[in-house]
Amino acid sequence: MDFEKLWNRISEAKRVGICGHVRPDGDCVGSCLGMYNYILSRFGKEADVYMEEVSPEFLFLNGTDKVIKGYPDAEKYDVFLTLDSGDAERLGDGIKYFNEAGYTYCFDHHPTNIGYAKENLIDSKAAATAELLASIFDEDYIDLNTANCLYLGIVHDTGVFKHSNVTRRTMEIAGLLIDKGVIPGDIIDKTFYEKTYVQNQILGRCLMESILLMDGKVIVSYVPAEIQSFYGISNSDMGGIIDQLRITKGVEVAILLKEANKREWKVSLRSNSIVDVSKISVMFAGGGHIRAAGCTMYGSAHDCINSLTKEIEKQLH
Ligand SMILES: [Mn+2]
């Protein structure tokens, strides 16, 4: 990618659009708003940002109030930038602006990205799209607003600097962002570890009610619909519970079932080192990665757990 041309195009464009992927995670929000703030800081230009609803814990980032709600019909963008979206379908309703745009750029780190934009910067070695952006931005124009966004993106795609995707470059960029004024503990606690009272209650309940199976190699917890309504929890309230189960000493596989409808369960699976949980989820029409996968199952919680442990057993023997 010719960066000089990229920045020239942005500087000369009448309208610049930015779009993330559906169900935006920390890296998506951080890289979209990081780009927004950088363009604002460097060119004094307001880009339009398109994303689905941003989680409340990210709303302190500068520019979240500028994210355009819904995907209204808009005039054509001269330059349209997609961030952290591995394929064009993941742009969701934002794809209409992408298809209409004069010139498109894609910035991403997903290895499966085939380069669907006119110009593409895809670096699968980058721990986060936010890391990739930090490495192409001119340091002098990275203000604190931009730095906060990029730091948040990196924190979330690295599980707070502990996943295997973390490199020396990741840490060096994090260091640069700290120099720009980022307060790491603030962002990490506020957006990663902080839980609402209800989230803590349901976490506690899941841990209390969890069951160890197969000599402690499997841990299971499930949340029936009536328990969810008792605590008044929504979908996002159950994030992180599966990981808390997974790190139980001696456990290889963690299973969390959440009843979505009567006898219909959203199943999350995690493994530590041996079991390929994506193989198991695929058997039940789900998908995912080797260590993290999910599927939907039907019947009683007991039946679902039995079916899952049978498959886990096969892989452990
Ligand atoms: Mn990402």
Side-chain angles (χ1 to χ4, degrees), residues 45 70 99 144 172 180 199 236 272:
K45 183 170 281 185
N99 288 336
L144 180 56
E172 283 174 352
K180 295 290 180 184
Q199 286 167 345
S236 59
N272 279 319

Side-chain angles (χ1 to χ4, degrees), residues 21 25-28 31 83-85 108-110 126-130 153 156-157:
H21 59 71
D25 58 6
D27 186 30
C28 177
S31 46
L83 294 150
D84 201 42
S85 184
D108 188 29
H109 68 132
H110 292 98
T129 299
H156 281 256
D157 260 19

